[in-house]
């Protein structure tokens, strides 16, 4: 795919995810236009400072790259938030990857910040879009 078609595909997917986030969460998201000039920014941002994730969106024909997760983890670490990766391959449904740490508080367990109880972002879960949105709603309701 040529460069402009690939950029258009990515941009369209970012708009699609921003719309889905609004429909599911009632939170407005916009494309982070500075991402092309500055390293370590997510693809979408919101004015809601309580939103605990940095969002990266990937839309490709085939193949999932570990570099995508590394990219959003770096951006999330700098922003002091958790990473969330949305991706979709051709003729497939959107998948969402997030760290196991985003699920831990939902069970009523709160780490006491002991280094042994902190979860490394290499430990991640992957879900469908609806399940991910349920997790985000619960995370927001718990004040994470």
């Amino acid at each position: 795919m040529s460069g402009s078609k690939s950029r258009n595909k990515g941009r369209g997917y970012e708009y699609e995810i921003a719309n889905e986030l609004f429909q599911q969460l009632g939170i407005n998201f916009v494309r982070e236009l500075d991402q092309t000039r500055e390293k370590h920014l997510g693809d979408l941002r919101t004015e809601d400072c309580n939103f605990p994730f940095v969002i990266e969106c990937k839309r490709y024909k085939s193949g999932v790259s570990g570099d995508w997760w590394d990219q959003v983890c770096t951006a999330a670490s700098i922003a002091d938030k958790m990473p969330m990766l949305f991706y979709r391959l051709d003729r497939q449904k959107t998948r969402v990857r997030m760290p196991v740490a985003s699920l831990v508080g939902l069970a009523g367990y709160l780490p006491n910040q002991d280094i042994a109880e902190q979860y490394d972002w290499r430990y991640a879960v992957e879900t469908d879009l609806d399940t991910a949105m349920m997790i985000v709603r619960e995370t927001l309701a718990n004040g994470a």
Side-chain angles (χ1 to χ4, degrees):
M1 185 178 291
S2 72
S4 65
K5 285 184 181 179
S6 178
R7 279 190 301 277
N8 288 340
K9 186 176 186 178
R11 183 182 313 121
Y13 187 59
E14 289 169 5
Y15 284 126
E16 179 183 325
I17 295 301
N19 183 54
E20 186 70 36
L21 289 165
F22 179 75
Q23 296 299 319
Q24 295 256 7
L25 306 174
I27 300 173
N28 283 314
F29 286 83
V30 295
R31 292 182 64 237
E32 177 60 78
L33 299 178
D34 289 336
Q35 67 178 312
T36 59
R37 293 183 292 279
E38 285 184 50
K39 286 181 106 178
H40 312 306
L41 293 175
D43 288 332
L44 299 175
R45 66 178 170 80
T46 180
E47 298 298 321
D48 182 349
C49 60
N50 293 322
F51 190 76
F53 295 96
V54 170
I55 295 175
E56 185 70 29
C57 303
K58 299 292 184 183
R59 178 74 173 83
Y60 279 78
K61 179 178 180 178
S62 63
V64 177
S65 172
D67 292 343
W68 301 346
W69 185 242
D70 293 342
Q71 179 183 359
V72 71
C73 285
T74 300
S77 179
I78 290 168
D80 198 27
K81 295 188 178 221
M82 291 184 286
M84 181 174 263
L85 171 66
F86 291 81
Y87 71 90
R88 189 171 82 218
L89 305 178
D90 284 359
R91 291 177 291 288
Q92 295 186 20
K93 293 185 177 198
T94 290
R95 301 292 298 164
V96 184
R97 183 179 296 173
M98 60 186 73
V100 167
S102 64
L103 301 173
V104 171
L106 298 181
Y109 169 78
L110 296 175
N112 65 10
Q113 300 307 316
D114 180 350
I115 193 72
E117 293 183 0
Q118 293 179 6
Y119 288 84
D120 190 310
W121 286 344
R122 289 177 296 172
Y123 303 111
V125 295
E126 230 173 75
T127 71
D128 59 45
L129 187 60
D130 289 333
T131 302
M133 293 301 95
M134 184 276 300
I135 293 167
V136 172
R137 281 191 299 274
E138 292 297 317
T139 301
L140 292 170
N142 287 343

